Amino acid sequence: MFCGYTKNFIATCILLNSWINNISVSGVLMKELAILDKLLNNDYDRRATPTNHLNTTTPTKVYCELFVRSFGSPNPLTMDYKVDLYLRQKWRDERLQHADLRQPLDLSDPNLVKAIWKPEVYFPNAKEADFQFVTVPNLLVRINPEGEILYMLRLRVTFSCMMNLSKFPLDRQMCTMEVASFSKTLEELVLEWQKDDPVTTGDLGMSQFVLDGVETNKCPSTKAFAQIGNYSCIVANFHLSRSLGFHLVQSYLPTILMVFISWVSFWMDVNSVPGRVTLGITTLLTVSHKSTNIQENLPQSSYVKAIDVWMGTCTAFVFLALLEFTVVNYLWRKENHRPNYKRGRSGRCSGVPDTKSQMEIEGYDHSPSVGNTLVQIREKDVSTNHLEAKFIRSGPRSRPNSFIGQEVSFEIFNFPVRASTIDETCRFAFPMAFAAFNCIYWPYYLFT
């Protein structure tokens, strides 16, 4: 029982000590807030900058810092991106310096925040901006005993980002965040970035981009407000590189497969007209439809983009495969021409047989009549489109005995053989041409 009383006594002492400490802290805080109220009511003008009361020409320096909590991927259609950020501003106001202030005062009361001077800054390249009110107004003013003030806001801003899409989707972009003085010129207010880590980011996790780095600088000079005055402006440049994974799966690999499939027709028989036509038209329509879907998610531009070059080349390869079949099928069905012999210097003659059956002659089984001159077939080599023959006798309309015993060479326009030769050549020519295109396309857009 004695131990139980001891435990209760110790617990009561701890609670009493905590209560006394809270009263003491509350008392000190109330005292310091009273001192602050006295400073604000004692000839404090929130319209004047901290250096105006010194009657000097020295401008007030405000050090800015950005903490980016979320960073949305830039949209190529609207040319903007959305961020959720904390804007932190630091400056020194000697009017709020007091010897009795022992610790920093954190203020979030809107009425107290309105009572002190704050830099009037804005985002020049912002399209939309919202102040966070959930669950309370997200702002903080911290007043240090030395008169140094920290002013922090949480904002949701949509910034414009003018992108150059000539290398899309293998492009790199630079999006900016500009912070500038709205009403105070350089004679009164100068904005500068915090020296250590002026821009910090959390785990952004963008779906289409990777953050390569952040660069802080002053804004380039502009003539927009030259007639009004010179205003301080600082800028943070975000260097982004687009992730290729999405477009590789959704755009590049499907079109590569369609091009490969269109080459299957080179191994199909020339007589397979329905199959080769269906294959060619299907692959052509598929590539065209994929190209249309990609263009719907991009703005209309006057320059050629990398994806346009890719889709145009893939469409050209598929179309040429279909055109190749048209030529092959035409040659396969074309009838042979009439012979036309000419005497050469060596006494050999060349010509073309009259009918298709003459291209199927073997040995001495047939002796076609050329004009009134009888020739006899000696040898056939269809692979080289070449026939050898010998004149047997001369007809009455020919010069007597002019070709008797002479050798004659038939150069046959064997169209089916030539059609097969074109198919065999395209089996290797098309893949080699497509590989050469890839060897030029990828290094050019990735490394230049």
Side-chain angles (χ1 to χ4, degrees):
M1 180 178 294
F2 179 76
C3 293
Y5 286 128
T6 303
K7 292 180 180 180
N8 292 333
F9 177 75
I10 293 174
T12 304
C13 291
I14 293 174
L15 292 176
L16 182 61
N17 184 43
S18 175
W19 179 67
I20 293 174
N21 289 335
N22 289 334
I23 293 177
S24 176
V25 171
S26 300
V28 172
L29 180 61
M30 294 299 296
K31 180 180 178 181
E32 292 182 345
L33 289 176
I35 295 174
L36 179 62
D37 289 337
K38 182 179 179 181
L39 292 174
L40 294 176
N41 294 327
N42 187 17
D43 298 331
Y44 184 90
D45 189 356
R46 64 183 183 88
R47 296 170 299 178
T49 64
T51 55
N52 285 148
H53 74 286
L54 300 177
N55 295 323
T56 63
T57 58
T58 303
T60 300
K61 287 187 178 182
V62 177
Y63 297 93
C64 299
E65 182 182 357
L66 293 176
F67 176 73
V68 181
R69 175 170 288 275
S70 65
F71 197 110
S73 295
N75 190 340
L77 284 176
T78 57
M79 293 288 181
D80 57 22
Y81 65 100
K82 297 181 180 180
V83 297
D84 187 1
L85 59 87
Y86 292 92
L87 174 62
R88 299 168 181 169
Q89 305 171 71
K90 294 180 181 179
W91 67 93
R92 185 179 182 85
D93 193 346
E94 296 181 358
R95 294 174 296 180
L96 299 179
Q97 184 177 358
H98 197 277
D100 293 334
L101 293 177
R102 302 297 183 183
Q103 61 183 1
L105 294 177
D106 292 342
L107 308 176
S108 59
D109 185 5
N111 294 324
L112 289 176
V113 172
K114 292 179 182 180
I116 65 173
W117 178 89
K118 298 179 296 297
E120 298 173 351
V121 300
Y122 76 111
F123 301 99
N125 64 326
K127 289 185 175 181
E128 298 177 357
D130 294 324
F131 182 79
Q132 298 282 15
F133 286 97
V134 180
T135 58
V136 294
N138 295 175
L139 59 87
L140 173 67
V141 174
R142 175 174 293 173
I143 303 176
N144 292 296
E146 300 82 9
E148 186 179 90
I149 299 176
L150 169 65
Y151 180 43
M152 183 171 63
L153 296 170
R154 185 183 177 188
L155 305 169
R156 184 171 58 247
V157 189
T158 301
F159 290 97
S160 63
C161 181
M162 305 308 296
M163 295 180 285
N164 183 0
L165 300 175
S166 59
K167 293 186 178 181
F168 177 90
L170 308 174
D171 55 331
R172 295 180 177 86
Q173 303 295 338
M174 185 183 72
C175 296
T176 62
M177 293 184 189
E178 298 178 1
V179 183
S181 172
F182 187 79
S183 60
K184 303 296 182 181
T185 61
L186 288 172
E187 288 76 14
E188 296 180 279
L189 178 64
V190 173
L191 298 178
E192 292 184 0
W193 286 111
Q194 184 77 16
K195 294 182 179 180
D196 298 329
D197 298 329
V199 179
T200 56
T201 59
D203 186 10
L204 300 181
M206 290 180 285
S207 59
Q208 297 188 33
F209 284 89
V210 175
L211 181 62
D212 294 332
V214 183
E215 179 187 5
T216 57
N217 208 336
K218 293 185 178 181
C219 298
S221 59
T222 177
K223 298 181 180 180
F225 301 98
Q227 297 179 353
I228 302 176
N230 295 324
Y231 296 88
S232 181
C233 178
I234 54 178
V235 59
N237 300 319
F238 292 81
H239 297 274
L240 309 172
S241 59
R242 192 182 300 272
S243 300
L244 188 58
F246 173 80
H247 297 280
L248 190 65
V249 174
Q250 296 295 326
S251 301
Y252 286 101
L253 289 182
T255 51
I256 290 175
L257 293 178
M258 288 299 103
V259 173
F260 287 172
I261 291 173
S262 67
W263 298 342
V264 176
S265 63
F266 301 149
W267 275 264
M268 298 176 66
D269 191 77
V270 181
N271 291 325
S272 302
V273 177
R276 294 186 69 166
V277 171
T278 302
L279 180 63
I281 294 178
T282 302
T283 52
L284 182 61
L285 292 178
T286 303
V287 174
S288 300
H289 179 69
K290 174 61 69 174
S291 178
T292 302
N293 289 340
I294 294 174
Q295 293 299 328
E296 288 179 353
N297 298 322
L298 294 175
Q300 297 180 358
S301 59
S302 59
Y303 50 83
V304 179
K305 298 179 284 292
I307 194 65
D308 296 336
V309 175
W310 176 266
M311 298 304 299
T313 304
C314 291
T315 304
F317 270 97
V318 175
F319 176 76
L320 288 176
L322 182 60
L323 183 63
E324 183 271 347
F325 168 69
T326 304
V327 175
V328 167
N329 185 261
Y330 171 77
L331 293 177
W332 184 265
R333 297 173 180 272
K334 184 176 177 62
E335 292 188 2
N336 303 303
H337 293 291
R338 251 186 185 317
N340 184 15
Y341 298 94
K342 292 184 180 180
R343 175 74 178 275
R345 293 181 180 179
S346 62
R348 301 177 64 87
C349 299
S350 61
V352 183
D354 187 30
T355 62
K356 181 179 179 181
S357 63
Q358 293 177 15
M359 292 187 293
E360 300 173 356
I361 300 171
E362 295 184 2
Y364 295 89
D365 296 337
H366 188 72
S367 298
S369 176
V370 181
N372 290 322
T373 302
L374 182 63
V375 298
Q376 191 174 52
I377 302 298
R378 291 182 55 189
E379 181 184 349
K380 184 187 77 166
D381 187 358
V382 177
S383 63
T384 60
N385 302 329
H386 187 75
L387 290 180
E388 296 289 342
K390 183 178 180 180
F391 283 93
I392 298 177
R393 60 183 175 82
S394 177
R397 289 187 296 176
S398 299
R399 190 167 58 180
N401 302 324
S402 58
F403 295 112
I404 297 300
Q406 298 289 331
E407 300 287 337
V408 64
S409 174
F410 291 92
E411 296 293 340
I412 302 174
F413 288 92
N414 194 341
F415 292 104
V417 174
R418 293 197 173 188
S420 300
T421 303
I422 293 175
D423 266 347
E424 293 174 358
T425 304
C426 290
R427 293 173 188 175
F428 301 97
F430 271 67
M432 291 178 63
F434 192 69
F437 165 72
N438 279 269
C439 291
I440 298 174
Y441 178 87
W442 293 103
Y444 175 78
Y445 285 106
L446 285 176
F447 304 113
T448 60

